Amino acid sequence: MNYFSLNNKSHSSSFENAVIKGLAPDKGLYFPENIEKLPESFFKDLPNMPQTEVAYQAIKQFVGDEIPEAELKKIIAETLDFEFPVVHVKDNVYTLELFHGPTLAFKDVGARFMAGSLGYFITKNEVGKVTVLVATSGDTGGAVANGFLGVEGIDVVILYPKGKVSKIQEKQLTTLGKNVTALEIDGAFDQCQDMVKQAFLDDEIQSVRQLTSANSINVARWLPQMFYYFLAYRQLASEGKDIVFSVPSGNFGNVCAGMVAKELGLPIKHFIASNNANRTITDYLETGNYEPRPSVSTISNAMDIGNPSNFVRILQLFQNEYGNIKENLTSFSYDDEVTKEAMQEVYKETGYVMDPHGAVGYLGLQEYFKDHPNEVGAFLETAHPCKFRETVEDAIGKQIDIPDSIKEVLDKEKKAISIKDYAELKAFLLS
């Protein structure tokens, strides 16, 4: 499988190069040159397949022969060593729980798969030290830090916005040490992301550090997110109805990966991109005008993104045809008060505890059902509620349990370097 740059389709790249470099030389995101549908026999056998085999069949065309079958299956097995349960909440509403991994967030899947792939290529080709430079609005940092911790030949540098991630999220990315360094930025996530992109454009930095990104702009972080749509479908297929997914959306890599799963033939009826007050895509689907704006802080902080990087991949999937996009994607936006009300309502009615991101996904699904009452849907619970403990407990009026793995992290000392601007980031990377 080759990949082209979304800035220059004449530029072609192998999977290995796309993983190691992260971005094309023109700084465009990589996109697969071809997506071939999976055979009907795969979907017939899907309900009885082990989840690692499901993932292997889904991803193998995107990797090709660049990672041997046995090694690729090993990477997948290490990536998916936890469950992805679909839980019935009420009526035709389900939730896909993606928080059963080591950092209790959906990003464990992409981070672990990328760590395995990048680690394989570094060892195989002796490419030398690689620096994974990543911006986080919440859960990416912890997942990347955990996934790459101790991987030989890789340094990890994580930028996060000061005071705009939860206490648990901050602890997860600032307490590991070893080959992981956390940089605390005095600004919003968009500034962190802009600084990372600027570093990739800086020839002086590139001359002394081999940079790659572990944000979902990297194909090895982005594509594995399609795994859990397949795993969810095999749990819901017996419903015998059209299935829709409501995806809490920030940088839009997650929902875009689901759309790739659909392109592979997975029978998903529709996608809902559920946004918080950062409603760039909601407004685009209403007006046809794409107008990025500065992000605003919300209680669902992992989605506080005003210019989602992966939306260009969605545009490519649908040939930049506005009508095609609207046919496959609906988007709604909700403020913090409505989100809290949903958390409270669902807990009182069903006993199910949602985190703020899952609550936004639930709201989007409920709104979609107003016009599509006979369909079955799942909203994605992207993080364990304990990662937003104060917000959740305030909403439901009850204390929630903290897993032992999180209790251990809370007792560790935060270690982060304060950075004010790009000049200080550059100085750090050149040191």
Side-chain angles (χ1 to χ4, degrees):
M1 170 69 75
N2 284 332
Y3 294 79
F4 63 84
S5 166
L6 288 175
N7 284 347
N8 176 13
K9 294 183 180 180
S10 65
H11 169 75
S12 183
S13 168
S14 65
F15 176 72
E16 176 181 337
N17 179 72
V19 173
I20 292 174
K21 298 298 184 182
L23 291 169
D26 56 19
K27 306 310 169 189
L29 271 63
Y30 280 117
F31 195 86
E33 289 186 355
N34 182 52
I35 299 176
E36 186 175 332
K37 290 192 182 300
L38 295 168
E40 289 185 14
S41 58
F42 167 81
F43 296 101
K44 183 178 179 181
D45 297 338
L46 181 59
N48 301 314
M49 260 187 218
Q51 64 182 26
T52 52
E53 182 63 20
V54 172
Y56 172 73
Q57 294 297 330
I59 200 74
K60 67 178 183 178
Q61 68 172 280
F62 299 100
V63 179
D65 59 2
E66 296 182 58
I67 299 178
E69 179 178 336
E71 188 66 30
L72 181 57
K73 286 186 173 180
K74 179 184 175 185
I75 292 169
I76 290 170
E78 291 172 350
T79 298
L80 303 181
D81 65 350
F82 53 93
E83 295 302 313
F84 301 83
V86 171
V87 177
H88 183 240
V89 178
K90 65 175 189 178
D91 304 326
N92 53 345
V93 175
Y94 293 80
T95 183
L96 170 59
E97 293 186 344
L98 301 177
F99 53 73
H100 295 275
T103 71
L104 310 187
F106 80 98
K107 298 190 178 178
D108 283 324
V109 172
R112 296 174 109 194
F113 184 86
M114 182 186 167
S117 299
L118 185 58
Y120 171 80
F121 290 134
I122 287 174
T123 302
K124 171 195 166 197
N125 297 318
E126 299 181 352
V127 299
K129 182 78 76 172
V130 172
T131 298
V132 174
L133 184 64
V134 61
T136 183
S137 58
D139 287 323
T140 293
V144 169
N146 183 277
F148 284 90
L149 183 66
V151 177
E152 189 174 348
I154 297 176
D155 286 331
V156 181
V157 179
I158 303 169
L159 282 68
Y160 74 98
K162 180 179 180 179
K164 293 181 173 63
V165 301
S166 76
K167 292 179 181 178
I168 289 176
Q169 287 173 325
E170 184 176 46
K171 286 280 190 174
Q172 285 183 316
L173 63 95
T174 62
T175 59
L176 292 174
K178 293 186 180 180
N179 60 328
V180 178
T181 302
L183 303 181
E184 187 177 33
I185 311 302
D186 189 10
F189 169 77
D190 289 331
Q191 291 168 267
C192 298
Q193 186 163 254
D194 288 344
M195 289 167 70
V196 167
K197 290 178 179 177
Q198 192 172 349
F200 276 92
L201 290 166
D202 196 316
D203 291 337
E204 191 176 355
I205 293 173
Q206 294 282 4
S207 69
V208 299
R209 281 190 187 252
Q210 189 170 196
L211 297 180
T212 191
S213 173
N215 284 97
S216 54
I217 58 177
N218 192 300
V219 294
R221 252 290 318 277
W222 164 53
L223 286 170
Q225 294 175 120
M226 65 182 170
F227 292 164
Y228 37 73
Y229 292 95
F230 285 95
L231 301 178
Y233 176 80
R234 71 176 186 167
Q235 297 175 68
L236 289 169
S238 61
E239 287 286 335
K241 295 183 179 181
D242 293 329
I243 298 172
V244 300
F245 283 97
S246 178
V247 186
S249 297
N251 230 359
F252 276 70
N254 202 354
V255 69
C256 185
M259 290 174 165
V260 173
K262 183 178 181 180
E263 191 71 14
L264 289 170
L266 191 66
I268 300 170
K269 175 69 180 296
H270 198 73
F271 287 95
I272 303 149
S274 297
N275 295 160
N276 58 23
N278 295 281
R279 49 176 296 139
T280 299
I281 304 305
T282 301
D283 290 341
Y284 165 77
L285 289 172
E286 289 178 359
T287 66
N289 297 318
Y290 185 79
E291 297 179 355
R293 68 204 66 176
S295 61
V296 296
S297 296
T298 73
I299 59 172
S300 49
N301 63 282
M303 302 190 294
D304 292 350
I305 299 169
N307 187 13
S309 295
N310 282 288
F311 194 64
V312 292
R313 285 182 167 137
I314 293 177
L315 293 174
Q316 176 62 37
L317 265 175
F318 298 108
Q319 298 82 44
N320 287 281
E321 289 287 342
Y322 178 68
N324 288 347
I325 297 169
K326 279 185 68 73
E327 189 175 325
N328 288 274
L329 181 66
T330 301
S331 184
F332 304 108
S333 171
Y334 305 96
D335 64 24
D336 283 351
E337 287 307 310
V338 175
T339 304
K340 290 177 185 176
E341 288 169 6
M343 295 163 69
Q344 183 181 58
E345 170 199 316
V346 169
Y347 178 71
K348 284 185 176 179
E349 187 178 338
T350 71
Y352 190 81
V353 180
M354 303 186 297
D355 92 290
H357 305 76
V360 172
Y362 167 82
L363 285 164
L365 190 59
Q366 290 291 84
E367 191 159 346
Y368 178 82
F369 280 158
K370 291 177 183 177
D371 295 323
H372 306 84
N374 297 320
E375 295 177 10
V376 169
F379 65 92
L380 273 55
E381 261 292 344
T382 54
H384 193 289
C386 77
K387 299 187 81 169
F388 311 92
R389 184 180 181 181
E390 293 177 0
T391 298
V392 173
E393 290 181 348
D394 179 60
I396 69 173
K398 178 186 176 184
Q399 287 191 335
I400 57 175
D401 294 332
I402 305 296
D404 290 341
S405 61
I406 295 297
K407 290 178 182 176
E408 292 174 8
V409 171
L410 291 175
D411 290 335
K412 294 182 179 180
E413 180 185 357
K414 167 188 168 182
K415 293 182 180 179
I417 299 171
S418 295
I419 297 287
K420 293 180 181 178
D421 53 29
Y422 178 72
E424 292 190 1
L425 171 63
K426 181 172 181 175
F428 171 81
L429 293 173
L430 291 175
S431 64

